[in-house]
Amino acid sequence: MSDHYVKVKVQLEQMKSFGENAEKEGVPTEEQAPVSSPPASLSPDPSSITIAGRDASDTSITCKQGLNRVKSRSKAGKEDKNSCGKHISDLPLHGNVVSAHVGKNLNRLGHDRTLHIKGTGRILQGKLETNGNYVTVHPSKNIQDARREEGFKLARKRRPVTVDSSKAKTSLEALKLSIKQLKWKEFPLGRRTACDIYWHGVSFHDNENIVSGQVNKFPGMIEMLRKINLSRAVRTMQDLFPEEYDFYPRSWILPEEYQQFSTQMRMVKENDATVNPTFIVKPDGGSQGDGIYLIRDPSDLKVMVGSQAKQAVVQEYIQKPLLIDKLKFDIRLYVLVKSMEPLEIYIAKEGLTRFCTEPYQEPSQKNLSHVFMHLTNYSLNVHSGNFVHSDSQNTGSKRTLSSVLYRLAAKGVDIKKVWSDIIALVIKTVIAVVPELKVYYQADIPPGKPGPTCFQILGFDILLMKNLKPVLLEVNSNPSMRIEHEQEVAPGVFEYVPSPVDEEVKVGVIRDTLRLMDPSHKKPSISHLRPGGFEHGEEIPMEAETQERCQDEGGALPSLCLKQVYPKYTKQFNYLRLVERIAVLFIRFLGVKGNMRLGPTAFRTFIRTCKLSNSNFTMASVDILYIDITRRWSGSMSDSREAGMGLQAFVEAFFYMAGRRFKSLVLKDQVWSLLEQCEAQLESQLGVEDRRSASCSRALPRAIKTQTLGLANPLLSSPAPLRRAASQDYRLHQRLKPRTLRANVEN
Ligand code: ADP
């Protein structure tokens, strides 16, 4: 064994023990990275691999082994692999560590007769709400015994979980395989009676008549993840937390920010003539690289966009990406938003990497139009003569993430750091889009109507810079779940052939998403069990539960390839959720159910209720502020179905008022202070109202009182810390409303 391999082995061992410690201590920055075992076919020679940024003499990673062109293949056996295509025996997986650790704790807790949540010292018992359902916790029993008992009961009674796959579109193949592995029941043509799970290929609205069960799309996700909206949401967070959100390249929204863009560029160049930045222009509705081009000067944009001035994002181009085999590549990571209330995020331990097919050179006027050099999209590169379809996960133009991380680890890269940076990027991005998603959610699923709950798999596209810093390129609300690819089997004859790499990764992601959403195994998550749970990071024994579950099911399913990162790392990221608190206020004052915009009267009511006007900021100034901001935003919103002030405009108004009131503070503290004030005002008002109403309507049931008082939002009827923590308990229901969507579907 070479020195080199010894080093790698030591690193993997360290990662293992690190994973154990991190799990025990809840350390967020030290995640178990998804590393595969050394691929048998790959003999990385340290001398031929150089990490750019570590060795200045070479800016690329070069593998001696050339890229082999491989034709289509047969399906590989998978019995002894885990869901993400890794041999379980190769690497001590996180899940095993978690199970053992958590199991031990649970047993001990069981003997204590009460459940003490680490770090809170709270005692939990009785009925608790989970995603809208009430469950009973047995405080006096050993938790695991209770679960096992429950599991047996369920197994006896259980009917298979039903899945409506009639709208699954291109994810159908992977979905079918997943359902089969789980021994669930598929309804490919839909079903008259309700199904447990509805799998949609595009949007929440693919099927308009769902009143129960779970749908694999959130309303509004497509809109929120369009390039402009995502850029706006991240920019708001960059204004508040510039350092935390430095993973997203500087972006301008076209055409409205064209002037800003060209002025800033001119100033940059005037300050330093040697600076020669490149920009990438991405049409708002585009996907798969469609309509994307590079420019070096704002004036190129004018020429290229012309008078039509299409909506687009122009973004700083990352000129020095990390290279492997001299090629640029990006990472496709699958992320499950399991629930928005409470926020629950899972990351797939395995992902894909997509490689360019022409060796990379820094952008120059000559190579700007070389798409195979600059754009990593599979849909583009597959048409290059250099594209390599490979059966192997660690060669070819599409590889597993773990095989790439292994290559990097082999060269001594601290991949634990890379992985934890990626996790942080994902959590922060989801936190950025959740506020507006909540507005969409309450519009489509208003309180009082029966409706489904939602979850969604997102596709994060991430680029590693030469210095190994991950950069967010975009988030796809409909990541391609195809497990086959088009291939030229004879000259001019194309046919779909199975793609082993896609199958390994995507079937694992879908199957394990389904396992997590299994309605017969809904369990209270720790964040539900714990009032004020946002304040405390906590380990949730999902993997242990699932393994138990597999035995109940009599199956031999591998351990989950999805890893919970939120609420697990709540402690580290919760402070970023300021805009979400603003969104909760916004929703509180929307008034008419189903609205997404605040009218002038509602805005005034908000100002009055929260006591934000005074002699320096009169109601007349409030009206002017409303008109001013709303007019500006209505011009820039592509989706202006309703008149009034949308969330983004409201956030701007909120920032403005916070700035006026708390001049000496930095923006995030200004906003935090104003939020505290508003929430305290609402709370005290609700207290008064509650007392008043209690005296005149003692006999009214609580639900009716709540409605009478306009307190549909329980956030505002609870003590401040709990209220903030428990936006998760805010239950939203459905209003079925057809939408015309320009969907970004990667299929
Ligand atoms: P699309 O939705 O059309 O795929 P992306 O934003 O993913 O749009 O961009 C397409 C490709 O362009 C990415 O996969 C990546 O290779 C490249 N790219 C995008 N943004 C940048 C950037 N800021 N710097 C460098 N490369 C980028």
Side-chain angles (χ1 to χ4, degrees):
M1 199 185 277
S2 70
D3 278 2
H4 171 65
Y5 267 109
V6 172
K7 265 193 233 152
V8 172
K9 208 170 159 231
V10 168
Q11 182 162 17
L12 291 176
E13 280 304 318
Q14 280 170 348
M15 285 175 59
K16 178 195 165 194
S17 64
F18 169 79
E20 285 166 355
N21 294 336
E23 284 297 343
K24 280 177 195 153
E25 288 153 28
V27 181
T29 51
E30 306 276 316
E31 270 291 337
Q32 174 73 60
V35 182
S36 70
S37 57
S41 58
L42 186 70
S43 311
D45 176 347
S47 62
S48 72
I49 303 178
T50 312
I51 303 305
R54 292 183 175 253
D55 181 347
S57 64
D58 189 343
T59 57
S60 67
I61 298 177
T62 325
C63 179
K64 277 182 177 169
Q65 184 180 332
L67 295 176
N68 298 323
R69 200 164 165 73
V70 185
K71 278 263 172 185
S72 73
R73 48 103 237 169
S74 64
K75 283 184 193 171
K78 292 180 284 292
E79 292 76 43
D80 56 348
K81 289 181 182 178
N82 79 355
S83 54
C84 293
K86 287 180 293 218
H87 288 272
I88 293 165
S89 57
D90 286 339
L91 185 72
L93 275 176
H94 208 76
N96 305 338
V97 176
V98 176
S99 331
H101 171 55
V102 170
K104 218 164 54 190
N105 281 347
L106 287 176
N107 280 326
R108 200 185 57 230
L109 289 166
H111 293 302
D112 287 345
R113 296 172 60 84
T114 48
L115 177 58
H116 294 269
I117 301 300
K118 188 175 85 183
T120 67
R122 293 179 207 275
I123 299 168
L124 305 154
Q125 52 195 7
K127 276 195 159 188
L128 301 149
E129 196 176 5
T130 170
N131 217 359
N133 297 329
Y134 282 84
V135 292
T136 306
V137 174
H138 308 279
S140 60
K141 273 191 182 178
N142 176 309
I143 301 275
Q144 275 197 335
D145 284 352
R147 285 180 180 166
R148 207 167 294 130
E149 237 172 64
E150 233 174 74
F152 284 136
K153 265 190 234 157
L154 278 168
R156 247 178 277 133
K157 291 193 229 165
R158 186 181 306 167
R159 57 169 180 81
V161 178
T162 53
V163 183
D164 180 336
S165 63
S166 61
K167 309 282 180 191
K169 301 214 165 79
T170 51
S171 51
L172 188 61
E173 285 311 308
L175 179 65
K176 274 183 186 297
L177 285 175
S178 304
I179 294 172
K180 204 167 156 195
Q181 288 180 18
L182 293 169
K183 302 193 173 71
W184 288 7
K185 191 159 171 52
E186 183 195 352
F187 287 84
L189 303 175
R191 192 190 190 197
R192 254 171 219 236
T193 51
C195 274
D196 297 308
I197 292 175
Y198 296 83
W199 199 271
H200 291 181
V202 181
S203 129
F204 176 78
H205 296 284
D206 285 356
N207 186 340
E208 293 290 353
N209 302 312
I210 306 168
V211 289
S212 64
Q214 307 181 78
V215 180
N216 72 323
K217 303 283 181 212
F218 281 96
M221 190 69 94
I222 291 176
E223 290 88 340
M224 262 325 289
L225 296 182
R226 288 168 70 97
K227 292 177 173 55
I228 288 183
N229 272 343
L230 178 66
S231 297
R232 281 208 175 104
V234 175
R235 190 190 292 173
T236 301
M237 297 306 287
Q238 285 174 330
D239 290 344
L240 286 168
F241 304 102
E243 278 165 25
E244 287 86 340
Y245 281 82
D246 67 351
F247 57 81
Y248 192 66
R250 231 166 5 141
S251 305
W252 296 261
I253 289 153
L254 298 178
E256 64 189 78
E257 291 172 359
Y258 174 75
Q259 274 313 327
Q260 238 169 297
F261 169 56
S262 58
T263 310
Q264 284 178 16
M265 281 317 104
R266 205 180 49 242
M267 280 163 62
V268 166
K269 285 181 184 176
E270 276 169 12
N271 280 348
D272 183 353
T274 60
V275 177
N276 200 1
T278 302
F279 303 94
I280 182 162
V281 186
K282 312 179 188 183
D284 186 37
S287 65
Q288 305 189 331
D290 276 354
I292 289 186
Y293 57 90
L294 304 186
I295 57 168
R296 307 209 87 187
D297 193 89
S299 60
D300 300 339
L301 194 65
K302 256 194 203 156
V303 174
M304 299 176 99
V305 174
S307 55
Q308 290 159 7
K310 284 198 187 122
Q311 291 229 304
V313 167
V314 58
Q315 191 172 74
E316 198 178 345
Y317 185 75
I318 306 298
Q319 306 215 29
K320 294 183 193 301
L322 182 69
L323 306 179
I324 292 186
D325 301 336
K326 295 196 166 77
L327 299 170
K328 176 175 171 178
F329 68 97
D330 77 347
I331 297 168
R332 161 54 59 88
L333 200 66
Y334 297 96
V335 171
L336 168 67
V337 179
K338 181 171 179 267
S339 146
M340 200 158 55
E341 294 285 359
L343 185 56
E344 289 186 53
I345 310 169
Y346 287 73
I347 298 187
K349 293 179 202 162
E350 183 61 289
L352 295 169
T353 51
R354 289 92 48 103
F355 282 71
C356 277
T357 43
E358 187 181 327
Y360 185 78
Q361 286 166 11
E362 284 195 27
S364 67
Q365 208 57 48
K366 267 197 259 158
N367 69 29
L368 278 192
S369 60
H370 292 209
V371 287
F372 299 146
M373 176 189 287
H374 292 294
L375 307 188
T376 49
N377 298 79
Y378 163 80
S379 51
L380 297 174
N381 284 282
V382 75
H383 299 297
S384 149
N386 294 332
F387 192 91
V388 181
H389 290 289
S390 172
D391 280 1
S392 160
Q393 300 184 354
N394 40 57
T395 58
S397 299
K398 203 186 256 188
R399 307 179 194 177
T400 55
L401 172 60
S402 58
S403 74
V404 164
L405 288 178
Y406 173 75
R407 289 273 302 265
L408 300 182
K411 182 55 194 164
V413 168
D414 181 359
I415 54 170
K416 285 178 295 182
K417 166 88 171 70
V418 173
W419 186 236
S420 63
D421 286 349
I422 288 176
I423 288 177
L425 175 155
V426 167
I427 295 174
K428 289 174 189 173
T429 305
V430 175
I431 285 176
V433 299
V434 157
E436 193 136 15
L437 272 181
K438 285 193 165 172
V439 178
Y440 278 102
Y441 200 97
Q442 61 81 40
D444 270 307
I445 311 182
K449 277 212 172 184
T453 52
C454 304
F455 62 96
Q456 187 151 356
I457 298 170
L458 305 174
F460 274 66
D461 290 350
I462 295 166
L463 191 72
L464 288 182
M465 286 171 48
K466 189 175 158 184
N467 64 4
L468 300 165
K469 182 178 167 55
V471 169
L472 177 69
L473 299 179
E474 74 154 347
V475 188
N476 208 297
S477 58
N478 288 300
S480 166
M481 285 293 168
R482 271 191 191 280
I483 52 171
E484 64 284 305
H485 59 77
E486 213 176 80
Q487 197 169 324
E488 193 168 12
V489 285
V493 182
F494 290 87
E495 148 178 317
Y496 278 110
V497 295
S499 165
V501 177
D502 286 285
E503 187 176 319
E504 287 290 345
V505 175
K506 294 175 184 175
V507 173
V509 170
I510 292 186
R511 184 197 57 228
D512 289 352
T513 294
L514 291 174
R515 286 161 82 185
L516 285 170
M517 304 315 301
D518 182 342
S520 54
H521 287 288
K522 260 196 179 166
K523 289 195 170 68
S525 62
I526 298 293
S527 55
H528 277 107
L529 295 173
R530 182 183 55 235
F534 277 10
E535 317 307 333
H536 306 277
E538 194 59 61
E539 289 171 17
I540 295 181
M542 281 315 302
E543 296 176 14
E545 284 174 10
T546 309
Q547 276 161 5
E548 235 175 86
R549 224 180 273 174
C550 305
Q551 282 149 23
D552 288 349
E553 283 157 359
L557 293 172
S559 65
L560 279 183
C561 74
L562 292 165
K563 158 135 192 70
Q564 196 206 60
V565 294
Y566 206 91
K568 181 171 182 181
Y569 297 134
T570 294
K571 222 198 274 179
Q572 289 77 14
F573 297 99
N574 201 38
Y575 72 100
L576 298 172
R577 299 175 74 178
L578 282 187
V579 183
E580 199 176 326
R581 285 167 66 188
I582 301 179
V584 170
L585 281 179
F586 176 80
I587 292 168
R588 162 73 178 80
F589 286 94
L590 274 178
V592 181
K593 285 174 191 168
N595 254 6
M596 291 182 61
R597 304 280 175 106
L598 211 61
T601 313
F603 189 66
R604 283 175 138 250
T605 310
F606 155 68
I607 298 285
R608 282 218 182 86
T609 314
C610 295
K611 297 205 179 347
L612 297 181
S613 65
N614 53 35
S615 54
N616 284 331
F617 188 53
T618 60
M619 287 314 280
S621 325
V622 168
D623 290 341
I624 293 170
L625 178 69
Y626 177 87
I627 294 167
D628 194 32
I629 292 186
T630 305
R631 190 176 293 156
R632 197 146 34 76
W633 276 93
S634 64
S636 61
M637 298 302 288
S638 55
D639 177 17
S640 42
R641 280 167 294 157
E642 296 163 22
M645 181 182 253
L647 177 67
Q648 291 169 357
F650 183 77
V651 168
E652 188 185 322
F654 198 90
F655 283 13
Y656 170 79
M657 291 184 288
R660 278 181 68 113
R661 195 165 280 249
F662 304 100
K663 285 197 180 73
S664 59
L665 303 177
V666 294
L667 182 64
K668 66 170 188 290
D669 296 333
Q670 292 172 339
V671 170
W672 184 85
S673 305
L674 193 64
L675 270 168
E676 289 287 304
Q677 181 182 322
C678 293
E679 288 166 353
Q681 281 301 333
L682 285 169
E683 198 182 321
S684 67
Q685 289 225 347
L686 297 175
V688 171
E689 295 276 324
D690 231 357
R691 279 196 297 279
R692 203 179 296 152
S693 103
S695 61
C696 55
S697 62
R698 278 214 171 86
L700 281 182
R702 184 166 171 72
I704 296 176
K705 277 188 212 166
T706 304
Q707 276 178 10
T708 317
L709 297 169
L711 302 180
N713 183 348
L715 281 172
L716 302 175
S717 58
S718 48
L722 172 58
R723 183 186 63 225
R724 236 163 286 128
S727 57
Q728 65 245 62
D729 292 327
Y730 181 21
R731 179 100 165 83
L732 300 164
H733 301 277
Q734 182 194 27
R735 182 173 67 123
L736 298 169
K737 186 160 100 182
R739 283 266 164 79
T740 318
L741 296 170
R742 278 181 292 148
N744 253 348
V745 191
E746 268 194 349
N747 284 312

